Amino acid sequence: MTKLLETEGLTAHYGDFQALFGVDMTVEHGETVAIIGANGAGKSTFLRSLTGLQSTKGQTIRLDGQPIAGLAPDKIHKAGLAMVPEGRRLFPSLSVEENLLIGAAGKRKGPWDLKAVYELFPDLVAKKNNPGTALSGGQQQMVAIGRALISNPKLLLCDEISLGLAPKIIKDIYQAVPLIRARGTAILVVEQDVGQAMAVADRIYCFMEGRVSLSGKSSELTRAQIAQAYFGTE
Ligand code: ATP
């Protein structure tokens, strides 16, 4: 069966500086995959490459069999990749519901609409007319996830969704992941919290200095293997 996402030997540069060195990755339909790795390992650069924010002209990235490398970000979004950006980036002058509906512009057919997002995050219902920025950090993260889901992506990309949130809130946010996958949406999360990544993902890729230092099923990787792949130490 066609993979949902495939990259082959992906590289990325910032001027003379090389940030990615030949990353091979796959995500299956319906799968939850996590990318872990220390600061500067290349995780965000990899996501930026997938979404068209980083140049990938002439490289091999396929989404559901369709080549997407070198396409503009809006074309990649239409093809079925939606990103929950680091820092959430809500529109401050718009209400929660208006922020959510922005994601619906040019949406694909699928299971996600306003009703489904409110079922996923019931806390947002009472806040729907509030400005997005009048919410707690966790609720803002829920809006950012809902906004990406409502476009009905084939693959939802999440960049460090737990960053800056309290442990209890992180738990609440991550409770949404099984519910999202239950509706058939595949998820690729970048996460610095290894325990959280292991708990939520079917498979893990660990990045170190722009390379995949380890990959495998979360249930089969040991803490020692991960520590070695994450820090390069025994
Ligand atoms: P973090 O968790 O800190 O976001 P990361 O794993 O996402 O780290 P990247 O942000 O992808 O890592 O960075 C990978 C490498 O590329 C780092 O060495 C970083 O300094 C470098 N880098 C990232 N963005 C730029 C840029 N705009 N210009 C130059 N170098 C950059």
Side-chain angles (χ1 to χ4, degrees):
M1 194 173 153
T2 322
K3 307 271 183 212
L4 178 58
L5 177 76
E6 258 181 307
T7 70
E8 286 175 11
L10 198 73
T11 58
H13 296 81
Y14 296 103
D16 291 340
F17 178 78
Q18 186 161 1
L20 294 178
F21 298 82
V23 175
D24 297 329
M25 180 177 291
T26 59
V27 178
E28 305 284 345
H29 289 266
E31 204 180 20
T32 301
V33 172
I35 303 175
I36 59 173
N39 283 339
K43 307 176 300 294
S44 297
T45 302
F46 183 75
L47 288 192
R48 288 168 52 81
S49 301
L50 297 181
T51 54
L53 295 172
Q54 182 78 25
S55 167
T56 54
K57 206 158 168 255
Q59 300 206 57
T60 301
I61 309 175
R62 282 186 290 268
L63 182 66
D64 214 2
Q66 180 189 351
I68 58 165
L71 297 182
D74 63 317
K75 295 265 179 348
I76 293 176
H77 184 244
K78 276 208 185 92
L81 269 191
M83 171 95 150
V84 182
E86 192 180 328
R88 312 186 269 271
R89 313 228 183 104
L90 303 189
F91 293 93
S93 61
L94 300 183
S95 69
V96 164
E97 189 148 305
E98 286 165 338
N99 265 285
L100 289 172
L101 286 172
I102 280 186
K107 76 188 183 94
R108 309 162 47 77
K109 283 209 175 73
W112 295 103
D113 55 16
L114 264 185
K115 187 167 164 274
V117 169
Y118 286 142
E119 275 171 27
L120 182 67
F121 297 123
D123 285 3
L124 296 183
V125 176
K127 310 268 179 182
K128 65 182 178 188
N129 297 317
N130 293 18
T133 48
L135 304 178
S136 68
Q139 289 166 340
Q140 288 186 32
Q141 191 58 273
M142 292 172 190
V143 177
I145 294 169
R147 184 177 60 187
L149 281 174
I150 220 166
S151 69
N152 281 302
K154 292 180 177 178
L155 178 61
L156 180 74
L157 305 177
C158 298
D159 196 1
E160 312 236 359
I161 49 178
S162 58
L163 207 67
L165 299 177
K168 154 92 177 67
I169 312 291
I170 295 172
K171 213 171 137 237
D172 288 351
I173 298 278
Y174 268 97
Q175 273 174 359
V177 170
L179 303 174
I180 294 170
R181 66 180 295 169
R183 287 185 184 260
T185 308
I187 307 170
L188 179 59
V189 295
V190 162
E191 186 50 74
Q192 284 207 29
D193 180 333
V194 176
Q196 194 58 259
M198 302 280 283
V200 86
D202 302 303
R203 284 190 303 122
I204 304 266
Y205 286 83
C206 186
F207 280 26
M208 189 167 52
E209 294 174 359
R211 294 180 167 84
V212 175
S213 53
L214 179 72
S215 66
K217 289 190 182 166
S218 321
S219 55
E220 291 172 1
L221 297 176
T222 64
R223 289 264 159 192
Q225 280 175 312
I226 289 179
Q228 164 73 29
Y230 197 100
F231 299 112
T233 54
E234 293 296 329

